């Protein structure tokens, strides 16, 4: 059975709202999120998702102790006490092909020997054994053929893996997170090979096994009738703030002429100046000025430039960075670290921060509009380890009897951790900030504070966040805070890795609920995603997929850039290109223009539209995202009704997870008042079309 032939092509008559109207337009850019992979034939590629052919999956050997089943969402679930293989019984050619296997380990925490991956019977590695791509999450180890490579698990999603295996002649290449991990010499000794997914000593849920095969360059793969027609009218929703104001990054600072206008890429920077910038530890402040005790019993040493970043290539001092924030009208998110150690655990150094903040706001009072103080990073994970315990030991611990699994993580009873965070870190930090705010600005709320970030895509983080928002300061907190609801003393709720490309409707539902419960009610001023993209991100591909999920949430709830913001992390060089180049290009394209937006959805694809809101519109984007399971969209042409004017210049740019962007030209046609863009291709990954008059 050819799964591809059983799939119907996409038709765009299923959308809830089929009319989209632009003003008279001078320039337009069109973005199709799903491009032809340039590594797989210029005109297209055959794409099969083998999981759609459920009846062709079976145990590799009847004697193997392996169980498999299909979930309600048609995901393949596999469990085995030893190694167990589930094979796709229809053999397929692997010459010049690319396999994408996406799966999740479904244990709370895998054992040391738990592994999973893909085996190719009919393709041998250099030792003569069937080629396998295998990941050991607990060991942080990839095995590919005869090679092995260590890696760092993703704190944002440590049990989720998407492996890309590309066959190139006598070599196979393993990619993960958009990066090349390893190469293996191979011999394809059968014209058609078997593909197995396997797990050893554990359980996995497989969401995708895609096979992409190069096609003849003269073959047109799109299905007849797959044309898109967009009317142009005046019914789109407004985006409340300018484009660039919604986007931030990490670590960047103004380095030279190339950054003369950083607002083309971002409006805010988390950890502005570099990784781990903050007040350095006590032993590195030995030459600083002695300051009197205010809250605790001992004098402290601290100056303005005790807040700095130290690295092998020099230092970044806060006295250099603050003028940049003011001059370029940027927002920094800086950490109030818990770096003191006492009686075997961490404590917050109130007097150090009190004197530093007093000096800072005395010298630069206007910086209160340019800095948000965040109290903690990924509180539920071992990024915050207040008991200073052995991380590897804690990582393998199970919940004690009687404690629900969502209240335990990485060795910590989250009830204890939540109480310790609220009363021994957040409370003293808030006490210091509000004291300085009163003294410098005449009120307690002039200096903005963000609560420490959480990752509420999993149960322990959801419990922690929602419990924190319902908590009050306890008896261990400073007297002036005891009994007050926690939310009354910070401005921004911060989360990480919401709206990742493969996130489902439950993430959007949760973010909508946080908007209703916390932002709409006035408990917080904003909900910021202070990390998105991550090590698993794939550069421009992830920027586009995650960015439009976020933007859809923003527009549906009409959120300003102060109420909602994304800070990209790790978006730079990837196999598929530099995400920062794309954010710069999009920022330059839209600038500070007022924008309109619409989102049309169906069971086949999502279509997003952004365009300049003016009498003569000069910029626009149209973004099409095919259904995640199907994995491709067949396009004939895109017809933009109402834009049928001569003189358009068109440039198309293809994006891929594992190959660099490739530019090409399209030849638009004008017919009956419409601009027609002939694509005539199969699209599987991001494909951008920029049009200018």
């Amino acid at each position: 059975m050819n799964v591809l032939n059983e799939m119907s092509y996409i038709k765009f008559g299923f959308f809830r709202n089929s009319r989209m109207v632009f003003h008279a337009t001078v320039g337009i850019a069109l973005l199709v999120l799903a491009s032809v992979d340039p590594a797989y034939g210029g005109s297209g590629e055959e794409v099969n998702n083998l999981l759609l052919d459920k009846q062709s999956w079976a145990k590799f050997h009847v004697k193997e102790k392996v169980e498999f089943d299909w979930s309600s969402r048609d995901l393949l679930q596999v469990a085995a006490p030893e190694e167990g293989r589930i094979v796709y019984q229809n053999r397929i050619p692997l010459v010049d092909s690319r396999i994408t296997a996406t799966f999740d380990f479904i244990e709370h925490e895998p054992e040391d020997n738990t592994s999973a991956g893909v085996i190719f019977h009919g393709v041998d590695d250099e030792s003569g054994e069937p080629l396998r791509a295998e990941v050991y999450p607990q060991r942080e180890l990839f095995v590919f053929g005869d090679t092995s490579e260590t890696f760092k698990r993703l704190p944002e999603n440590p049990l989720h893996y998407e492996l890309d295996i590309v066959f190139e002649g006598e070599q196979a290449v393993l990619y993960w997170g958009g990066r090349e991990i390893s190469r293996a010499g191979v011999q394809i000794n059968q014209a058609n090979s078997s593909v197995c997914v396997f797990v050893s000593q554990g359980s996995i849920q497989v969401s995708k096994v895609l096979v992409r095969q190069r096609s003849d360059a003269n073959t047109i793969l799109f299905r007849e009738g797959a044309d898109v027609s967009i009317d142009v009218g005046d019914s789109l929703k407004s985006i409340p703030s300018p484009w660039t104001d919604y986007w931030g990054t990490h670590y960047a600072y103004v380095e030279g002429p190339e950054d003369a206008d950083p607002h083309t890429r971002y409006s805010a920077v988390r950890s502005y100046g570099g990784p781990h910038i903050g007040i350095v530890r006590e032993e590195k402040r030995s030459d600083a000025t002695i300051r009197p005790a205010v809250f605790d019993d001992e004098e402290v040493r601290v100056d303005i430039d005790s807040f700095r970043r130290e690295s092998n290539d020099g230092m970044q001092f806060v006295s250099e960075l603050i003028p940049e924030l003011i001059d370029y009208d940027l927002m920094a998110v800086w950490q109030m670290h818990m770096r003191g150690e006492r009686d075997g655990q961490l404590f917050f150094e109130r007097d150090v921060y009190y004197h530093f903040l007093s000096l800072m706001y005395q010298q630069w009072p206007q910086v209160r509009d340019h800095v948000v103080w965040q109290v903690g990073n990924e509180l539920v994970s071992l990024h915050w380890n207040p008991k200073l315990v052995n991380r590897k030991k804690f990582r393998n611990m199970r919940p004690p009897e009687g404690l629900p699994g969502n209240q335990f993580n990485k060795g910590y009873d989250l009830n204890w951790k939540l109480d310790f965070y609220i009363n021994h870190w957040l409370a003293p930090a808030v006490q210091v900030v509000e004291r300085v705010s009163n003294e410098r600005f005449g009120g307690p709320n002039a200096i903005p504070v963000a609560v420490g970030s959480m990752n509420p895509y999993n149960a322990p983080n959801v419990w922690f966040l929602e419990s924190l928002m319902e908590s009050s300061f306890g008896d261990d907190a400073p007297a002036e805070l005891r009994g007050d609801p926690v939310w009354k003393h910070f401005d921004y709720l911060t989360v990480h890795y919401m709206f990742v490309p493969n996130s489902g409707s439950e993430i959007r539902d949760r973010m909508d609920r946080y908007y209703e419960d916390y932002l709409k009610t006035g408990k917080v001023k904003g909900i910021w995603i202070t990390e998105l993209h991550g090590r698993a991100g794939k550069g421009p591909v992830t920027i586009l997929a995650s960015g439009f999920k976020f933007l859809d949430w923003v527009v549906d709830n009409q959120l300003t850039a102060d109420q909602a913001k994304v800070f990209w992390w790790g978006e730079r060089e990837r196999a598929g290109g530099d995400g920062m180049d794309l954010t710069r290009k999009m920022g330059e394209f839209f600038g500070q223009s007022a924008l309109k937006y619409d989102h049309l959805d169906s069971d086949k694809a999502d279509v997003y539209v952004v365009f300049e809101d003016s009498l003569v519109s000069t910029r626009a984007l149209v973004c099409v995202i095919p259904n995640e399971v199907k994995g491709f969209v067949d396009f004939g042409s895109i017809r933009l009704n109402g834009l049928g004017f001569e003189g358009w210049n068109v440039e198309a740019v293809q994006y891929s997870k594992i190959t660099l962007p490739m530019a090409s030209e399209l030849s638009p046609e004008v017919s009956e008042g419409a601009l027609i863009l002939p694509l005539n291709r199969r699209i599987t990954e991001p494909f951008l079309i920029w049009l200018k008059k």
Side-chain angles (χ1 to χ4, degrees):
M1 172 182 176
N2 186 336
V3 179
L4 184 64
N5 292 335
E6 299 299 316
M7 297 180 182
S8 61
Y9 59 81
I10 186 165
K11 293 185 178 180
F12 287 84
F14 296 99
F15 294 114
R16 294 185 309 219
N17 173 8
S18 61
R19 292 189 61 81
M20 296 183 284
V21 186
F22 300 114
H23 297 287
T25 306
V26 172
I28 181 170
L30 176 79
L31 163 64
V32 179
L33 186 63
S35 83
V36 177
D37 188 336
Y40 286 82
S43 66
E45 58 183 3
E46 290 287 347
V47 183
N48 289 274
N49 185 353
L50 304 185
L51 293 190
L52 295 180
D53 186 14
K54 293 166 57 175
Q55 64 268 33
S56 294
W57 289 90
K59 290 183 179 181
F60 183 78
H61 195 285
V62 68
K63 292 185 178 181
E64 287 190 349
K65 295 180 179 180
V66 57
E67 297 179 359
F68 77 101
D69 201 355
W70 298 90
S71 75
S72 59
R73 296 172 55 206
D74 290 334
L75 305 181
L76 176 61
Q77 297 176 323
V78 186
E82 302 297 334
E83 182 171 291
R85 293 166 289 178
I86 304 299
V87 62
Y88 183 70
Q89 293 176 300
N90 295 328
R91 292 174 175 266
I92 56 177
L94 293 180
V95 175
D96 292 339
S97 68
R98 168 180 163 193
I99 311 297
T100 301
T102 306
F103 55 88
D104 293 82
F105 292 89
I106 56 179
E107 298 95 340
H108 179 73
E109 187 72 33
E111 301 293 341
D112 191 58
N113 289 324
T114 299
S115 68
V118 188
I119 299 175
F120 303 96
H121 291 273
V123 179
D124 290 346
D125 62 23
E126 291 180 326
S127 66
E129 296 295 323
L131 178 69
R132 65 168 57 205
E134 184 173 12
V135 58
Y136 291 82
Q138 193 63 34
R139 295 187 195 175
E140 298 185 324
L141 182 72
F142 282 115
V143 175
F144 188 53
D146 293 334
T147 67
S148 61
E149 296 288 341
T150 59
F151 70 100
K152 290 293 184 182
R153 286 204 294 176
L154 306 173
E156 63 270 21
N157 211 350
L159 303 183
H160 176 80
Y161 293 87
E162 181 170 284
L163 307 183
D164 277 296
I165 302 97
V166 177
F167 292 93
E168 300 175 344
E170 296 182 349
Q171 281 200 322
V173 188
L174 173 65
Y175 294 89
W176 175 65
R179 292 192 177 96
E180 179 178 321
I181 299 299
S182 182
R183 288 178 175 260
V186 296
Q187 180 177 353
I188 299 179
N189 49 37
Q190 296 181 17
N192 295 299
S193 304
S194 297
V195 177
C196 296
V197 296
F198 74 92
V199 65
S200 180
Q201 299 186 32
S203 303
I204 57 172
Q205 182 167 266
V206 186
S207 54
K208 189 190 305 177
V209 181
L210 286 184
V211 179
R212 294 178 169 90
Q213 293 163 321
R214 301 188 195 213
S215 307
D216 186 281
N218 296 317
T219 302
I220 297 177
L221 295 174
F222 70 95
R223 297 295 188 254
E224 183 180 350
D227 296 333
V228 182
S229 181
I230 301 174
D231 292 333
V232 210
D234 196 22
S235 60
L236 305 191
K237 302 174 185 177
S238 294
I239 298 179
S241 298
W243 178 270
T244 311
D245 291 0
Y246 287 101
W247 313 110
T249 187
H250 276 68
Y251 312 140
Y253 50 93
V254 182
E255 300 175 276
E258 69 277 12
D259 277 342
D261 185 7
H263 272 280
T264 60
R265 291 189 282 136
Y266 52 80
S267 61
V269 182
R270 189 167 180 246
S271 196
Y272 186 79
H276 309 299
I277 190 168
I279 296 179
V280 296
R281 298 182 185 277
E282 182 179 12
E283 61 269 20
K284 295 185 177 182
R285 304 193 305 267
S286 59
D287 58 348
T289 304
I290 297 175
R291 313 279 178 181
V294 176
F295 298 101
D296 298 316
D297 298 329
E298 297 181 4
E299 297 174 327
V300 296
R301 289 182 178 270
V302 64
D303 289 318
I304 279 288
D305 281 333
S306 297
F307 191 101
R308 62 181 182 261
R309 180 210 175 196
E310 298 181 349
S311 65
N312 293 333
D313 57 357
M315 296 187 184
Q316 284 291 320
F317 295 101
V318 76
S319 61
E320 301 167 342
L321 299 173
I322 288 177
E324 293 176 2
L325 295 175
I326 297 168
D327 291 346
Y328 290 95
D329 192 24
L330 296 173
M331 173 70 73
V333 176
W334 278 330
Q335 289 285 328
M336 300 187 79
H337 293 291
M338 179 183 258
R339 283 179 169 166
E341 295 184 23
R342 179 192 296 150
D343 300 327
Q345 63 185 27
L346 298 175
F347 76 97
F348 182 75
E349 299 169 288
R350 288 186 291 184
D351 286 318
V352 171
Y353 272 95
Y354 170 76
H355 287 295
F356 166 73
L357 293 177
S358 295
L359 293 167
M360 175 175 149
Y361 289 108
Q362 180 182 30
Q363 186 168 349
W364 298 284
Q366 67 271 47
V367 81
R368 68 177 184 169
D369 298 323
H370 297 274
V371 174
V372 171
W373 293 101
Q374 188 176 31
V375 188
N377 175 56
E378 298 195 350
L379 301 173
V380 179
S381 75
L382 287 181
H383 276 289
W384 182 44
N385 182 13
K387 291 184 178 180
L388 302 172
V389 298
N390 182 289
R391 289 171 181 259
K392 187 172 183 180
K393 176 183 177 183
F394 261 35
R395 214 162 40 187
N396 295 321
M397 290 183 67
R398 296 289 188 265
E401 187 175 352
L403 184 66
N406 68 338
Q407 297 175 32
F408 184 86
N409 198 59
K410 311 297 185 188
Y412 276 95
D413 179 338
L414 294 184
N415 295 275
W416 179 90
K417 204 174 195 187
L418 177 65
D419 178 79
F420 190 79
Y421 173 73
I422 289 172
N423 295 301
H424 295 273
W425 190 359
L426 182 62
V430 163
Q431 181 188 31
V432 168
V433 168
E434 293 184 355
R435 174 79 66 90
V436 174
S437 180
N438 272 314
E439 293 173 355
R440 295 298 178 201
F441 304 110
N445 302 317
I447 301 173
V449 172
V451 74
S453 56
M454 291 154 279
N455 300 26
Y457 49 75
N458 62 40
N461 276 269
V462 171
W463 179 90
F464 197 95
L465 184 152
E466 295 176 2
S467 298
L468 182 145
M469 292 300 296
E470 296 172 0
S471 295
S472 298
F473 291 108
D475 293 340
D476 291 338
E480 63 265 37
L481 297 176
R482 291 172 194 163
D484 271 9
V486 169
W487 58 262
K488 283 191 174 182
H489 294 273
F490 64 85
D491 302 282
Y492 299 100
L493 178 65
T494 61
V495 296
H496 283 184
Y497 299 103
M498 310 302 277
F499 301 126
V500 297
N502 61 352
S503 62
S505 60
E506 70 278 2
I507 297 298
R508 171 59 191 267
D509 292 344
R510 189 169 297 141
M511 290 294 283
D512 283 337
R513 181 159 53 84
Y514 291 166
Y515 161 71
E516 292 287 340
D517 292 348
Y518 309 137
L519 186 51
K520 192 175 180 180
T521 59
K523 289 184 175 181
V524 298
K525 292 181 179 179
I527 301 174
W528 290 2
I529 303 176
T530 49
E531 281 188 28
L532 189 57
H533 187 284
R535 286 200 299 269
K538 298 169 177 65
V541 173
T542 301
I543 294 289
L544 296 170
S546 294
F548 276 95
K549 283 178 178 283
F550 164 75
L551 196 62
D552 194 50
W553 176 69
V554 163
V555 174
D556 281 353
N557 293 300
Q558 284 295 286
L559 305 178
T560 68
D562 186 54
Q563 294 174 310
K565 205 180 295 288
V566 160
F567 293 76
W568 302 115
W569 180 80
E571 77 274 27
R572 298 198 180 192
E573 285 294 338
R574 289 291 191 273
D578 192 328
M580 191 168 283
D581 288 344
L582 178 61
T583 59
R584 178 187 289 110
K585 184 171 183 177
M586 296 175 80
E588 291 172 344
F589 191 75
F590 282 127
Q592 293 291 297
S593 301
L595 300 172
K596 289 274 194 175
Y597 172 94
D598 201 9
H599 172 206
L600 298 88
D601 61 23
S602 78
D603 60 347
K604 302 292 185 181
D606 291 282
V607 175
Y608 302 95
V609 179
V610 182
F611 77 100
E612 189 176 43
D613 183 18
S614 64
L615 291 176
V616 182
S617 179
T618 61
R619 298 288 186 269
L621 287 171
V622 178
C623 169
V624 181
I625 305 180
N627 180 276
E628 176 75 13
V629 173
K630 188 171 182 179
F632 66 88
V633 179
D634 291 325
F635 272 106
S637 64
I638 295 179
R639 179 186 181 97
L640 301 172
N641 298 317
L643 298 178
F645 312 116
E646 300 288 350
W648 293 103
N649 295 314
V650 185
E651 181 189 37
V653 181
Q654 300 177 132
Y655 285 92
S656 169
K657 296 176 183 177
I658 61 173
T659 57
L660 293 174
M662 182 180 295
S664 60
E665 292 186 358
L666 293 179
S667 300
E669 303 169 2
V670 175
S671 175
E672 299 178 348
L675 181 68
I676 299 172
L677 304 171
L679 300 182
N680 299 332
R681 67 188 75 197
R682 169 158 292 173
I683 294 173
T684 63
E685 294 185 276
F687 185 69
L688 288 80
I689 307 172
W690 308 88
L691 297 90
K692 290 185 179 181
K693 203 59 166 149

